[in-house]
């Protein structure tokens, strides 16, 4: 589960720091997270992981979880909707939540009632196959390995 759209903070910082010649109305996704976490914990304690995706973005968080837990993670439809890069852009106000499948819908419904996670969604599932990897399933049913994070992460500025 992610608590909203991803990559806006990293995109905002990159557009401010670099001269790409792009005039975009993109704002950071900075948001307080404690009330969101509390709302989820009031809904269920059947949680496996709650992670802030600030540094390295959702893609890095998913690779860390896959490697540390020796599981694979399959993302659904992300490639067609977002492309690859937003998964590695900083998310200053987003959480990645790993929970049991039976609790996932209830968690998303709770998140949608919180002011900073109204666009929460289930983006994938944990699987025994492909341990340590993150696989993307495209909208047309093909699969691709999400490249592991590489290069420098956007440094924290706050």
């Amino acid at each position: 589960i992610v608590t909203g759209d991803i990559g806006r903070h990293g995109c905002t910082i990159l557009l401010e720091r670099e001269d790409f010649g792009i005039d975009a109305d993109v704002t950071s996704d900075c948001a307080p997270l404690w009330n969101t976490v509390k709302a989820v914990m009031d809904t269920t304690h059947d949680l496996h992981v709650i992670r802030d995706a600030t540094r390295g973005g959702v893609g890095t968080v998913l690779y860390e979880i896959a490697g540390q837990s020796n599981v694979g993670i399959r993302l659904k439809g992300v490639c067609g909707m977002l492309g690859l890069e937003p998964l590695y852009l900083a998310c200053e106000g987003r959480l990645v939540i790993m929970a049991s499948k039976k609790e996932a819908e209830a968690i998303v419904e709770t998140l949608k009632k919180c002011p900073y996670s109204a666009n929460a969604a289930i983006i994938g599932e944990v699987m025994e196959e492909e341990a340590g990897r993150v696989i993307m399933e495209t909208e047309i049913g093909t699969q691709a390995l999400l490249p592991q994070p590489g290069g420098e992460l956007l440094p924290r500025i706050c």
Side-chain angles (χ1 to χ4, degrees):
I1 300 169
V2 292
T3 58
D5 59 349
I6 60 174
R8 283 196 296 131
H9 182 70
C11 185
T12 301
I13 299 304
L14 288 172
L15 288 174
E16 283 295 318
R17 286 186 179 172
E18 305 295 331
D19 185 16
F20 292 118
I22 299 172
D23 186 24
D25 186 23
V26 180
T27 57
S28 175
D29 53 13
C30 288
L33 298 173
W34 168 242
N35 287 334
T36 303
V37 172
K38 184 176 181 330
V40 170
M41 292 177 69
D42 287 346
T43 299
T44 184
H45 282 87
D46 193 3
L47 302 164
H48 301 282
V49 176
I50 297 178
R51 287 279 307 272
D52 174 355
T54 298
R55 186 123 192 243
V58 172
T60 299
V61 169
L62 294 176
Y63 258 106
E64 289 172 355
I65 292 168
Q68 292 165 357
S69 301
N70 200 33
V71 297
I73 297 175
R74 179 181 303 126
L75 302 180
K76 298 193 175 177
V78 173
C79 184
M81 293 185 313
L82 301 174
L84 300 178
E85 293 181 30
L87 289 168
Y88 289 112
L89 289 175
C91 300
E92 193 67 29
R94 299 293 180 250
L95 296 169
V96 174
I97 300 171
M98 308 293 275
S100 70
K101 195 171 191 172
K102 67 180 175 139
E103 295 290 339
E105 290 294 336
I107 292 169
V108 170
E109 289 307 310
T110 295
L111 290 168
K112 287 180 181 269
K113 296 173 188 170
C114 297
Y116 300 108
S117 57
N119 294 319
I122 298 168
I123 64 165
E125 63 187 350
V126 172
M127 56 189 184
E128 290 184 26
E129 306 84 33
E130 303 288 348
R133 294 178 149 184
V134 179
I135 306 294
M136 294 186 308
E137 188 174 290
T138 68
E139 293 166 335
I140 61 170
T142 60
Q143 293 186 354
L145 177 66
L146 179 68
Q148 288 195 353
E152 290 186 42
L153 298 176
L154 181 65
R156 292 209 48 153
I157 60 166
C158 50

